[in-house]
Amino acid sequence: MKLLLFGGTFDPPHNGHVHLLQNAIAAVRPDRVVVMPAGTPPHKAASATPARWRLEMCRCFLPLHENLVVSDWEIKRAGKSYTVDTLAMLRREYPDAELFLCLGSDMLTSFTEWRDWQTILKSAALVVQSRTEGDDPELQAAARALEPYGGRVIFTRAPAVELASSDVRAGRLPDGALPPLVAEAARKHHLYGR
């Protein structure tokens, strides 16, 4: 069984995230997809948006795969959310699964700064989507640098969609950048100036 993990703060999830996951699903053809909003991400300040609302907004991913679940496992844990711990949990729950981790290109170029990144490489193949036009040489170099540590990087071949959650929070994204479910939740909960 192939299992694809897509984690992040998702504050909020936007159409760039949807595009990234769609392309990762097309590249891997997983049997199961787990979307995992972070509780407290290690590399960012804790989200000001309540976890229950970020979890609700992540339902926008459900139509992308017939066997997709939005998990609150990281949210329910105390302390910071580390990918290595999440993969270990998935390995216990799905001992026979081949694990894949969906990343944006910015995460690949900083991957060696992650906690226990070498353990992550032994646990899962990385599925990477470019987020910026023209970053391919840098991404290829980052992937090659991981190979001696057992790193396996699968690139999705699709055009970049340059969106950032920080732009949504700052009110800088054009209409249509959010999936309808997310835009509705943002209005309902008065998030992001909507």
Side-chain angles (χ1 to χ4, degrees):
M1 182 181 86
K2 293 180 179 179
L3 187 152
L4 176 66
L5 171 64
F6 186 34
T9 309
F10 300 123
D11 186 18
H14 52 65
N15 284 328
H17 292 126
V18 171
H19 179 75
L20 171 58
L21 185 54
Q22 278 177 324
N23 291 322
I25 288 169
V28 172
R29 299 187 175 277
D31 301 291
R32 187 169 185 81
V33 179
V34 177
V35 173
M36 184 86 65
T40 304
H43 58 290
K44 298 179 183 177
S47 173
T49 305
R52 68 184 182 277
W53 294 347
R54 293 187 292 112
L55 190 70
E56 175 188 334
M57 290 187 285
C58 282
R59 290 177 39 244
C60 72
F61 297 113
L62 290 173
L64 300 184
H65 193 276
E66 61 186 12
N67 197 10
L68 185 149
V69 295
V70 177
S71 172
D72 63 357
W73 186 80
E74 285 190 3
I75 287 172
K76 284 184 171 177
R77 292 185 76 218
K80 293 187 183 259
S81 299
Y82 291 102
T83 301
V84 69
D85 298 329
T86 303
L87 287 169
M89 177 277 293
L90 291 171
R91 174 63 61 219
R92 289 189 300 272
E93 195 164 325
Y94 303 96
D96 299 324
E98 184 180 4
L99 300 180
F100 297 83
L101 177 62
C102 179
L103 300 178
S105 58
D106 55 332
M107 295 290 105
L108 180 64
T109 55
S110 63
F111 188 76
T112 56
E113 298 167 20
W114 289 28
R115 173 180 276 198
D116 294 336
W117 60 273
Q118 289 146 314
T119 303
I120 294 172
L121 292 179
K122 292 174 185 159
S123 303
L126 308 182
V127 186
V128 177
Q129 164 72 50
S130 169
R131 284 181 63 170
T132 307
E133 292 295 341
D135 65 358
D136 196 55
E138 183 184 10
L139 295 181
Q140 295 293 338
R144 282 193 302 275
L146 297 178
E147 286 176 4
Y149 303 95
R152 181 173 157 227
V153 180
I154 300 165
F155 287 103
T156 68
R157 298 295 174 193
V161 172
E162 297 188 42
L163 296 175
S165 295
S166 58
D167 289 333
V168 178
R169 294 192 298 274
R172 290 193 298 264
L173 275 189
D175 288 339
L178 298 179
L181 184 149
V182 176
E184 180 185 327
R187 283 191 296 272
K188 180 170 79 172
H189 300 303
H190 308 291
L191 302 173
Y192 321 118
R194 295 181 180 269

